[in-house]
């Protein structure tokens, strides 16, 4: 529901303010089952958007590639503006080391079924 430029900006800003280092935009997939549920929900809560989504997903479960590229490009532009980048699959993940004063965990106990 958030492809308007102001909505994208607010979302990316909130992501950056929450401390994210990257963002990966994914446009909605509406596979069978999810598609029916989603359109029912949309009809009940946002009926004015139904015609737009019917056009957008007329060809199947995925929005047109041109739409996906436009949204992805805009999110990446905003990410750069807010100082975060797109996620890179080859980039190492940053895992914080455990603090020395963190409580130690007890060894797990193997339970019996019977």
């Amino acid at each position: 529901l958030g492809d308007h430029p102001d909505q994208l900006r607010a979302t990316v800003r909130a992501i950056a303010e929450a401390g994210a280092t990257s963002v990966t935009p994914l446009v909605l997939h509406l596979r069978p089952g999810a598609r029916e549920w989603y359109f029912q929900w949309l009809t009940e809560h946002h009926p004015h958007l139904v015609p737009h989504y019917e056009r957008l997903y007329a060809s199947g479960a995925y929005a047109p590639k041109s739409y996906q590229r436009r949204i992805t490009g805009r999110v990446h532009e905003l990410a750069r503006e807010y100082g975060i980048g797109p996620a890179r699959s080859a980039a190492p993940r940053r895992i914080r080391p455990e603090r020395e004063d963190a409580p130690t965990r007890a060894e797990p106990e193997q339970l019996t079924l019977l």
Side-chain angles (χ1 to χ4, degrees):
L1 297 176
D3 64 354
H4 186 275
D6 292 340
Q7 293 168 316
L8 292 175
R9 176 175 293 284
T11 301
V12 175
R13 181 185 323 113
I15 290 167
E17 288 173 355
T21 58
S22 66
V23 60
T24 303
L26 296 174
V27 174
L28 182 65
H29 301 53
L30 290 177
R31 294 186 180 112
R35 180 185 187 94
E36 292 78 12
W37 179 90
Y38 183 75
F39 272 98
Q40 180 181 351
W41 177 86
L42 198 63
T43 300
E44 292 173 15
H45 298 280
H46 302 279
H48 63 286
L49 294 177
V50 171
H52 172 69
Y53 277 83
E54 286 176 337
R55 285 188 306 274
L56 199 57
Y57 291 91
S59 297
Y62 299 92
K65 293 284 186 194
S66 60
Y67 175 81
Q68 293 181 42
R69 281 192 291 273
R70 185 174 47 123
I71 297 300
T72 298
R74 183 65 184 133
V75 169
H76 288 167
E77 288 172 15
L78 291 165
R80 282 189 298 276
E81 182 179 322
Y82 286 102
I84 59 177
R88 291 176 184 85
S89 60
R93 293 181 59 198
R94 295 181 192 161
I95 300 174
R96 296 181 184 166
E98 283 192 38
R99 296 184 344 230
E100 288 187 31
D101 61 339
T104 57
R105 296 183 187 150
E107 288 295 316
E109 177 185 347
Q110 178 66 50
L111 302 176
T112 60
L113 182 59
L114 302 172

